[in-house]
């Protein structure tokens, strides 16, 4: 069972992890390239990448003697589907309240 913190949206609640994710949105990168751009250690970058990978938000491919991480489109689709469901529920709730208001016609 996963906790809310382990859900794709929960994973992005950590500022450092979100920064790693946002850098990968610009271009695929290795751990070293990400660590050079962030005020955290390579080990911390690796831990954040591991969590993002476990949550399905990033994928990794070998490139010679290094591993290159990139955003996983399937993970983004799942995140987008979640936000679409929440947005649809909010709009449905708003429509019910508006329909129940029974406002007089405006002239």
């Amino acid at each position: 069972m996963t906790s809310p913190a382990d859900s794709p949206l929960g994973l992005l609640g950590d500022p450092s992890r979100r920064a790693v994710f946002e850098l990968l949105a610009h271009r695929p990168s290795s751990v070293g390239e990400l660590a050079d751009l962030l005020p955290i250690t390579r080990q911390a970058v690796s831990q954040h990448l591991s969590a993002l990978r476990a949550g399905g938000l990033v994928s990794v491919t070998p490139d010679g003697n290094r591993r290159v991480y990139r955003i996983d489109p399937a993970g983004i689709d799942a995140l987008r589907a979640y936000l679409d469901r929440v947005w649809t529920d909010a709009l449905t709730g708003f429509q019910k309240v508006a329909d129940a208001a029974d406002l007089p016609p405006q002239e």
Side-chain angles (χ1 to χ4, degrees):
M1 180 176 195
T2 61
S3 73
D6 295 333
S7 70
L9 196 58
L11 287 170
L12 297 176
D14 181 280
S16 293
R17 192 169 300 141
R18 192 171 50 251
V20 168
F21 182 78
E22 289 174 3
L23 286 171
L24 291 175
H26 291 285
R27 68 180 183 94
S29 303
S30 68
V31 171
E33 291 168 335
L34 292 166
D36 288 345
L37 298 171
L38 296 167
I40 57 178
T41 65
R42 284 178 182 235
Q43 183 178 8
V45 170
S46 290
Q47 290 173 347
H48 289 303
L49 287 169
S50 178
L52 290 168
R53 188 172 175 215
L57 293 177
V58 302
S59 62
V60 61
T61 54
D63 180 27
N65 62 351
R66 65 185 196 140
R67 298 163 56 97
V68 177
Y69 293 84
R70 61 183 35 89
I71 298 294
D72 187 336
I76 299 301
D77 287 346
L79 191 58
R80 182 178 295 139
Y82 167 77
L83 293 173
D84 285 346
R85 279 194 314 273
V86 170
W87 183 242
T88 298
D89 289 348
L91 289 177
T92 300
F94 178 77
Q95 183 67 47
K96 288 179 181 175
V97 170
D99 290 345
D102 194 27
L103 299 174
Q106 294 185 358
E107 296 179 20

